[in-house]
Amino acid sequence: MTIEHTLFEEAKLLIERRYPIGWGGAASIRTESGKILTSIAPDTKNDGLSLCMEVGAILEAHKLDEVVTHSLCIYREDENSTFVILTPCGICQERLVHWGGDVKAAISNSANELIFKNLRDLQPHHWSIVNCEVL
């Protein structure tokens, strides 16, 4: 099984375990050492306090001092729905940029195919270019 498919399966398993019925979403991240870290968005009573699904796994990578190589986020509307791939939001892309422009992120697409792109390709005009940095 490829890295990409392994990430998808790990996120899917977490959703099925954590959210057996109804809506569910999860993220999975792979590190350079081969670890797979998964996370969900925390439940909050105030939407202003919510966090993206990837944040827990990103923080875990920082805690373990691991380099992130891949990131994937999926959700489903209910237990009978297809899993849909979510491109990382701009904030999560910035969080992932910590490990450079070669980090691969799964992207949303009309065919809902498992496609990964480098952050560099997702952000060809990243703000760091004004500092003569290259993602």
Side-chain angles (χ1 to χ4, degrees), residues 98-117:
H98 173 77
W99 294 285
D102 289 328
V103 173
K104 296 181 185 309
I107 60 164
S108 303
N109 59 86
S110 59
N112 200 35
E113 294 175 347
L114 193 54
I115 299 171
F116 282 72
K117 297 274 186 180

Side-chain angles (χ1 to χ4, degrees), residues 54-105:
E54 301 99 313
V55 174
I58 289 170
L59 292 173
E60 186 74 8
H62 279 289
K63 181 182 93 177
L64 297 172
D65 198 22
E66 293 271 346
V67 174
V68 171
T69 62
H70 294 74
S71 178
L72 171 135
C73 188
I74 60 173
Y75 84 99
R76 61 151 202 239
E77 287 296 325
D78 61 45
E79 67 277 12
N80 300 310
S81 299
T82 302
F83 289 93
V84 177
I85 300 161
L86 298 171
T87 303
C89 72
I91 294 170
C92 282
Q93 287 182 39
E94 288 294 329
R95 290 174 175 136
L96 292 166
V97 160
H98 173 77
W99 294 285
D102 289 328
V103 173
K104 296 181 185 309

Side-chain angles (χ1 to χ4, degrees), residues 13-33:
L13 287 171
L14 177 54
I15 292 169
E16 291 170 344
R17 186 173 59 248
R18 175 64 174 81
Y19 306 102
I21 57 171
W23 182 94
S28 57
I29 286 178
R30 183 181 185 274
T31 68
E32 200 170 58
S33 71

